[in-house]
Amino acid sequence: MLNTTTASARDNFQRSIRILAGLALALSAAVLYVAGAQPVAVGLFPAPWDKLAHLLTFAVVGAAAGLAGGMRGWRMALCCIAGALLVGGMDEVHQMFLPGRSASWYDLAADAAGGLLGAAALAVLHTLKHRFKHH
């Protein structure tokens, strides 16, 4: 009975994490879309700091996509990178239509690297969780 209850609680927790991560992913995309259209966004981060901003922002976006996907291992890493590329691609296409903004393949590459960083962060957290669980 205890194992069934524990498994049910774990499943509910994992489902909640997936839902929250999906909401965080959607909110991130919406904030990028709206905030990116504001005049203050033009030149907000000068080069090369803009690439660092892309890397860190899309590490969070990628990690949210990986958690929302509910997969493990290389499939989770793929979800992280794909999520970062999809949201980053949307952002770059959107910038083509904004005054003072432009799309950049370099920005999209930094977004993909951010997704990879998000995947690496999730892998480290997963390893640490299991290391402390077994000690």
Side-chain angles (χ1 to χ4, degrees):
M1 180 69 163
L2 181 63
N3 287 342
T4 303
T5 304
T6 304
S8 178
R10 186 185 64 236
D11 290 345
N12 286 338
F13 179 73
Q14 289 174 346
R15 186 177 306 110
S16 296
I17 292 295
R18 288 182 65 196
I19 290 168
L20 288 172
L23 290 172
L25 181 61
L27 182 63
S28 297
V31 166
L32 282 169
Y33 189 82
V34 172
Q38 305 307 310
V40 71
V42 177
L44 183 62
F45 295 103
W49 301 109
D50 62 324
K51 300 306 179 265
L52 180 61
H54 277 266
L55 179 78
L56 296 177
T57 299
F58 284 90
V60 173
V61 169
L67 288 172
M71 297 181 194
R72 299 283 178 256
W74 67 269
R75 288 179 179 92
M76 178 183 271
L78 192 60
C79 284
C80 291
I81 296 166
L85 281 171
L86 286 171
V87 174
M90 178 225 36
D91 187 40
E92 295 303 316
V93 169
H94 181 228
Q95 287 179 26
M96 292 185 334
F97 301 100
L98 297 174
R101 305 291 305 270
S102 61
S104 165
W105 288 109
Y106 294 113
D107 287 349
L108 193 60
D111 299 344
L116 189 59
L117 179 61
L122 290 177
V124 167
L125 289 173
H126 180 76
T127 300
L128 289 174
K129 180 181 92 169
H130 286 288
R131 181 173 292 162
F132 288 117
K133 183 178 175 181
H134 295 292
H135 279 80

